């Protein structure tokens, strides 16, 4: 017992196996245990980080997909609006062409009417002629 | 909007959807193009729109025409350059209708038998003209002449300079105007002549400033717009003594009559005040007076088969059945006209053609209006040119139209057939003229009859000259006395030493009748010498 105290004062201990140790056996055992537990903790933390990392990736991909869908939706809506405008423009163009054609028709109609009148007059003239003869 | 050179608005278009960003005239002044957003419109010079195209090119900011007037280029808002070519021009004559369907192809449609022919050309078609049974087409390198009887064998000859700006046709030949000058060709392709005049600018001639008939070519000078140069068609030399026809105001439009004798060729022209004048083309000997026959005339055209002139005067459409009347009997002119209200023609009508009995007028909105005139005056012209006076009289009796009788009267006097003239004047009720003609018939000598006929037409100078030449001095003096030309009568009497007393006697009687005193020195002097 005195030897133990003397060793203890010098900072040395004997353990069960009768080896000389620098640390007290209990402290050493506790340190080893602590080390083991820390190691387990670190592993678990790393595992956790990995899992969370993959979760984040997944969520990011989902976010991107959602983003692109949103863009597509906005694009489709704009297209719809622009088509409506395009249709308006097309309609205007066609109206202009119709107006043009109408004018041409009017011109031809007037010409046709005068020609009809001429034909009628000439027929009348011919009839007069035959009648008088 | 289109304005004329006086600043008056000629045409107002309908509003377009977008602002107009460019406008350009074609070089011959017949067309202009208008550019707007996604729009290209081709318009006639009077304003109405021929065609509308809707290319999707954004706004057309600048347009430029090619020199030959068939193509244009446009600079567009989307960075592109757009090229356009004018097609589907249409020419009509009698029963043929010809359309330019592509740049080098024409379609000929004969409406009587519905035959369609396709004419292919080696190069781009620039100008064409269809009239008198021939189609003349100018491409960038050659000129083609087709006869309407046979579309398969055209006459082709090469052109010296590319760009023909105007083709004018007459019955026996046609005129090509390009940058180098005027060239007259026969329908067989032979170059007949190439008239030139000082300071000629051939690139600015158009159908209103040049006129062609079978023997004569008339061109209005650009340097001095009061001057018309007249050439003999077959030789290209100026007619007569070479001096051009000069008028007191600028001339706007000229037209030569197409039928009849060369010696009677007439030219009608409209001056800047829109007055219509007619005169003979003869440039030697005594010039014929330029006579005004219309006012506010907007457009005119001679007939292609007889010398009848039609025009639009203000709002009346007028036909002068025998314009030569002004040189024969001025009072008859109003009776030889046919007038019709022209308000249906719109504001600025243009006569497109006058062929046979039909007249085509284009209104300000671009539509064509057709009307026709009585066929009888043309028939009368025909009879008169072959001196068939009895047929003429029979025709007038059949038709029973005062206008026709008036024409016949004027034509008879012009050709010195007094019998017909007498009948015609009697029919229109001009008793005084009938009496005069009767008195002419009783005159003893041919010369005096001729002289009195000249008097009838108002040519006092010529009548007097004729009488003096044939030694009928007394008649010459008597003519002057009747016209109260006292000075002249006395001059003649003194010069020929005869009948001075007669002159004095008439003079005294005249003064007594009017209660006047003799104030003329010469008469007083002679009165002392001779007592009556």
């Amino acid at each position: 017992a005195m030897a133990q105290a003397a060793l203890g004062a010098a900072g040395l201990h004997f353990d069960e196996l009768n080896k000389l140790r620098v640390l007290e056996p209990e402290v050493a055992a506790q340190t080893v245990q602590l080390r083991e537990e820390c190691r387990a903790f670190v592993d678990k933390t790393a595992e956790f980080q990995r899992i969370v990392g993959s979760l984040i990736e997944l969520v990011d991909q989902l976010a991107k997909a959602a983003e692109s869908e949103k863009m597509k939706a906005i694009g489709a809506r704009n297209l719809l609006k622009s088509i409506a405008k395009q249709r308006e423009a097309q309609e205007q163009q066609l109206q202009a062409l119709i107006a043009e054609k109408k004018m041409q028709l009017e011109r031809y109609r007037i010409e046709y009417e005068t020609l009809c009148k001429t034909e009628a007059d000439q027929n009348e003239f011919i009839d007069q002629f035959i009648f008088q003869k | 909007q289109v304005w004329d050179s006086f600043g008056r608005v000629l045409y107002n278009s309908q509003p377009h959807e977008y602002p107009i960003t460019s406008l350009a005239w074609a070089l011959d002044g017949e067309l202009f193009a208008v550019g707007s957003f996604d729009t290209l419109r081709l318009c006639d010079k009077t304003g109405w729109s021929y065609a509308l195209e809707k290319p999707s090119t954004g706004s057309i900011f600048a347009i430029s025409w090619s020199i030959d007037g068939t193509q244009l280029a446009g600079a567009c808002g989307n960075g592109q350059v757009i090229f356009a070519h004018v097609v589907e021009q249409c020419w009509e004559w009698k029963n043929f209708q010809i359309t330019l369907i592509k740049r080098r192809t024409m379609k000929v449609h004969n409406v009587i038998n519905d035959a369609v022919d396709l004419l292919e050309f080696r190069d781009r078609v620039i100008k064409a003209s269809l009239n008198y049974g021939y189609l003349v087409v100018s491409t960038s390198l050659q000129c083609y002449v087709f006869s309407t009887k046979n579309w398969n064998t055209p006459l082709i000859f090469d052109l010296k300079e590319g760009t023909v700006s105007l083709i004018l046709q007459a019955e026996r030949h046609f005129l090509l105007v390009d940058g180098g000058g005027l060239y007259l060709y026969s329908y067989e392709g032979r170059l007949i002549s190439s008239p030139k005049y000082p300071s000629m600018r051939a690139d600015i001639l158009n159908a209103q400033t040049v006129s062609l008939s079978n023997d004569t070519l008339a061109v209005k000078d650009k340097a001095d717009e009061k001057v018309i140069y007249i050439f003999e068609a077959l030789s290209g030399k100026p007619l007569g003594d070479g001096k051009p026809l000069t008028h007191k105001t600028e001339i706007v439009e000229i037209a030569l009559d197409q039928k009849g004798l060369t010696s009677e060729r007439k030219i009608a022209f409209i001056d800047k005040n829109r007055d219509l004048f007619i005169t003979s083309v003869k440039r030697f000997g005594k010039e014929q007076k330029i006579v005004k026959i219309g006012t506010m005339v907007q457009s005119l055209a001679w007939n292609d088969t007889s010398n009848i002139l039609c025009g639009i005067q203000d709002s009346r459409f007028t036909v002068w059945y025998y314009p030569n009347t002004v040189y024969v009997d001025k009072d008859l002119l109003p009776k030889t006209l046919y007038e019709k209200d022209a308000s249906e023609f719109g504001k600025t009508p243009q006569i497109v053609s006058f062929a046979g009995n039909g007249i085509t007028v284009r209104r300000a909105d671009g539509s064509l209006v057709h009307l026709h005139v009585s066929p009888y005056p043309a028939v009368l012209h025909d009879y008169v040119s072959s001196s068939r006076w009895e047929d003429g009289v029979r025709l007038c009796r059949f038709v029973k139209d005062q206008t026709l009788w008036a024409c016949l009267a004027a034509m008879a006097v012009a050709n010195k057939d007094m019998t017909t003239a007498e009948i015609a004047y009697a029919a229109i009720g001009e008793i005084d003229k009938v009496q005069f003609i009767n008195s002419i018939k009783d005159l003893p000598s041919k010369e005096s009859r001729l002289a009195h006929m000249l008097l009838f037409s108002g040519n006092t100078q010529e009548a007097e000259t004729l009488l003096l030449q044939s030694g009928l001095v007394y008649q010459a003096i008597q003519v002057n006395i009747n016209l109260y030309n006292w000075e002249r009568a006395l001059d003649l009497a003194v010069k020929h030493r005869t009948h001075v007393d007669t002159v004095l006697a008439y003079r005294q009687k005249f003064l007594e009748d009017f209660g006047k005193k003799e104030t003329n020195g010469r008469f007083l002097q002679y009165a002392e010498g001779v007592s009556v």
Side-chain angles (χ1 to χ4, degrees):
Chain A
M2 264 199 32
Q4 266 188 328
L7 281 172
L12 301 163
H13 302 280
F14 276 110
D15 65 6
E16 321 71 73
L17 297 176
N18 296 327
K19 291 214 175 99
L20 200 64
R21 298 244 160 192
V22 182
L23 278 181
E24 277 181 49
E26 285 168 21
V27 175
Q30 277 180 351
T31 311
V32 166
Q33 198 183 12
L34 188 62
R35 197 180 63 194
E36 292 302 323
E37 277 177 8
C38 284
R39 194 176 292 148
F41 178 70
V42 164
D43 282 341
K44 284 212 173 78
T45 315
E47 180 79 26
F48 176 70
Q49 202 172 32
R50 222 175 12 89
I51 291 174
V52 166
S54 66
L55 185 67
I56 286 178
E57 256 177 48
L58 228 71
V59 169
D60 266 344
Q61 275 180 357
L62 201 62
K64 270 203 205 89
E67 228 13 77
S68 66
E69 284 307 309
K70 255 201 293 191
M71 293 299 272
K72 272 197 209 147
I74 289 176
R77 201 183 304 146
N78 281 349
L79 200 65
L80 190 69
K81 279 202 195 123
S82 79
I83 283 184
K85 280 239 171 62
Q86 229 185 22
R87 284 270 176 274
E88 266 179 37
Q90 267 185 352
E91 195 187 315
Q92 247 185 2
Q93 274 194 357
L94 288 173
Q95 289 285 16
L97 287 170
I98 288 175
E100 202 50 38
K101 287 275 182 257
K102 273 206 187 124
M103 259 173 38
Q104 280 186 350
L105 174 67
E106 187 58 28
R107 284 205 280 265
Y108 284 132
R109 194 187 58 81
I110 291 176
E111 191 176 348
Y112 176 70
E113 268 179 12
T114 60
L115 282 171
C116 277
K117 187 169 169 304
T118 306
E119 191 191 352
D121 282 344
Q122 292 199 331
N123 274 328
E124 200 188 300
F125 183 78
I126 292 173
D127 288 335
Q128 237 183 23
F129 210 67
I130 296 174
F131 182 60
Q132 269 194 3
K133 274 278 186 185
Chain B
Q1 281 187 311
V2 181
W3 291 267
D4 66 4
S5 51
F6 289 113
R8 289 176 300 195
V9 177
L10 287 176
Y11 177 78
N12 247 320
S13 76
Q14 299 286 65
H16 290 74
E17 302 93 34
Y18 297 99
I20 294 179
T21 45
S22 57
L23 197 153
W25 281 97
L27 269 130
D28 60 357
E30 290 288 319
L31 306 165
F32 63 89
V34 175
S36 170
F37 177 73
D38 271 4
T39 313
L40 182 61
R41 189 188 281 272
L42 185 67
C43 300
D44 183 72
K45 66 174 189 280
T46 44
W48 54 276
S49 164
Y50 272 109
L52 181 65
E53 281 294 316
K54 287 276 187 188
S56 49
T57 56
S59 294
I60 301 184
F61 287 107
I63 299 183
S64 179
W65 283 88
S66 68
I67 297 184
D68 61 8
T70 53
Q71 300 181 89
L72 62 87
C76 306
N78 65 352
Q80 293 177 343
V81 175
I82 188 171
F83 291 97
H85 193 94
V86 179
V87 287
E88 289 202 16
Q89 288 106 322
C90 220
W91 293 270
E92 283 179 4
W93 181 75
K94 291 215 178 150
N95 52 311
F96 292 99
Q97 189 195 40
I98 302 184
T99 318
L100 185 72
I101 49 175
K102 293 200 294 215
R103 281 184 281 190
R104 297 188 304 203
T105 320
M106 280 190 179
K107 185 178 87 154
V108 179
H109 183 207
N110 183 341
V111 297
I112 290 184
N113 57 9
D114 252 350
V116 173
D117 285 284
L118 276 179
L119 307 176
E120 298 274 346
F121 299 94
R122 211 181 63 189
D123 315 290
R124 222 174 49 234
V125 169
I126 297 182
K127 277 255 183 291
S129 172
L130 174 65
N131 209 341
Y132 296 107
Y134 290 97
L135 170 70
V136 180
V137 180
S138 76
T139 67
S140 40
L141 294 171
Q142 296 170 311
C143 179
Y144 293 71
V145 181
F146 293 85
S147 159
T148 50
K149 303 190 213 23
N150 185 350
W151 298 106
N152 294 321
T153 49
L155 196 87
I156 310 178
F157 59 91
D158 289 325
L159 290 174
K160 296 183 203 50
E161 209 186 288
T163 321
V164 170
S165 54
L166 181 65
I167 302 180
L168 273 188
Q169 286 179 270
E171 199 186 346
R172 288 194 224 123
H173 41 235
F174 65 95
L175 181 75
L176 288 179
V177 179
D178 67 10
L182 307 162
Y183 302 99
L184 203 66
Y185 287 89
S186 74
Y187 285 115
E188 283 87 42
R190 192 172 48 91
L191 176 66
I192 301 178
S193 66
S194 175
K196 290 197 206 317
Y197 56 90
S199 72
M200 176 167 80
R201 289 273 313 276
D203 49 344
I204 38 169
L205 297 173
N206 60 25
Q208 275 93 36
T209 54
V210 185
S211 179
L212 179 68
S213 79
N214 275 335
D215 40 43
T216 321
L217 169 70
V219 184
K220 186 191 90 170
D221 189 19
K222 185 67 184 171
D224 180 358
E225 299 204 24
K226 306 192 193 64
V227 167
I228 302 177
Y229 287 97
I230 305 182
F231 302 90
E232 235 176 87
L234 298 169
S235 64
K237 293 206 203 53
L239 204 59
D241 56 9
K243 281 202 313 281
L245 191 93
T246 317
H247 184 57
K248 45 185 166 38
T249 38
E250 287 85 357
I251 295 171
V252 169
E253 193 171 335
I254 63 176
L256 286 166
D257 67 2
Q258 296 292 314
K259 285 281 168 176
L261 301 167
T262 312
S263 53
E264 292 175 5
R265 179 73 54 232
K266 297 273 183 300
I267 180 168
F269 57 89
I270 306 179
D271 74 357
K272 214 159 148 199
N273 300 326
R274 295 274 149 201
D275 290 331
L276 176 62
F277 295 86
I278 186 170
T279 184
S280 161
V281 148
K282 274 205 313 254
R283 298 278 96 226
F284 50 83
K286 195 163 132 335
E287 276 177 19
Q288 253 191 346
K289 291 192 303 245
I290 302 178
V291 183
K292 182 157 107 164
I293 56 175
T295 53
M296 297 291 291
V297 177
Q298 287 163 325
S299 180
L300 85 163
W302 286 97
N303 187 276
D304 62 343
T305 46
S306 50
N307 286 343
I308 298 180
L309 180 66
C310 78
I312 300 182
Q313 269 192 108
D314 201 14
S315 62
R316 292 188 322 276
F317 169 72
T318 314
V319 184
W320 289 266
Y321 284 127
Y322 187 53
N324 201 25
T325 314
V326 293
Y327 293 112
V328 166
D329 184 354
K330 280 197 216 44
D331 310 324
L332 266 187
L333 185 67
K335 295 205 179 154
T336 59
L337 299 181
Y338 164 71
E339 288 198 346
K340 184 175 168 337
D341 183 51
S343 43
E344 65 188 28
F345 294 162
K347 253 181 20 182
T348 49
Q350 292 289 320
I351 299 182
V352 171
S353 72
F354 182 18
N357 300 337
I359 296 158
T360 312
V361 178
R362 198 180 277 283
R363 295 182 359 163
D365 64 0
S367 51
L368 287 174
V369 177
H370 298 269
L371 44 114
H372 66 285
V373 289
S374 159
Y376 294 119
V379 177
L380 198 63
H381 270 273
D382 206 30
Y383 283 151
V384 168
S385 59
S386 31
S387 295
R388 287 155 61 183
W389 297 105
E390 278 106 42
D391 286 338
V393 174
R394 260 217 324 259
L395 180 69
C396 287
R397 289 218 169 99
F398 172 71
V399 177
K400 298 196 238 321
D401 183 20
Q402 290 279 301
T403 322
L404 211 62
W405 278 116
C407 291
L408 183 62
M411 290 178 198
V413 175
N415 288 291
K416 317 248 183 299
D417 188 290
M418 297 326 255
T419 352
T420 316
E422 197 188 331
I423 303 174
Y425 273 115
I428 52 179
E430 301 235 351
I431 317 290
D432 48 345
K433 301 213 172 120
V434 177
Q435 276 189 329
F436 188 69
I437 296 174
N438 266 323
S439 71
I440 293 182
K441 282 207 297 204
D442 296 331
L443 286 173
S445 75
K446 185 164 149 272
E447 288 82 16
S448 85
R449 277 203 292 275
L450 204 60
H452 276 87
M453 280 195 263
L454 285 167
L455 264 185
F456 183 80
S457 318
N459 293 336
T460 48
Q461 193 61 37
E462 274 182 33
E464 190 197 291
T465 321
L466 185 62
L467 286 169
L468 288 173
Q469 269 180 347
S470 31
L472 297 164
V473 180
Y474 175 64
Q475 287 208 19
I477 300 177
Q478 188 64 43
V479 160
N480 279 307
I481 292 176
N482 289 339
L483 291 169
Y484 302 109
N485 287 344
W486 302 108
E487 294 276 329
R488 183 80 188 140
L490 190 60
D491 282 340
L492 285 174
V494 169
K495 200 167 118 189
H496 295 269
R497 279 184 278 276
T498 168
H499 300 299
V500 179
D501 46 349
T502 325
V503 178
L504 292 171
Y506 273 107
R507 173 84 175 161
Q508 277 220 322
K509 192 165 164 309
F510 164 73
L511 290 170
E512 276 169 23
D513 285 343
F514 284 97
K516 283 207 208 160
K517 276 263 183 237
E518 178 64 78
T519 46
N520 191 310
R522 289 187 69 196
F523 274 95
L524 284 170
Q525 177 193 355
Y526 277 99
E528 279 171 26
V530 181
S531 61
V532 185

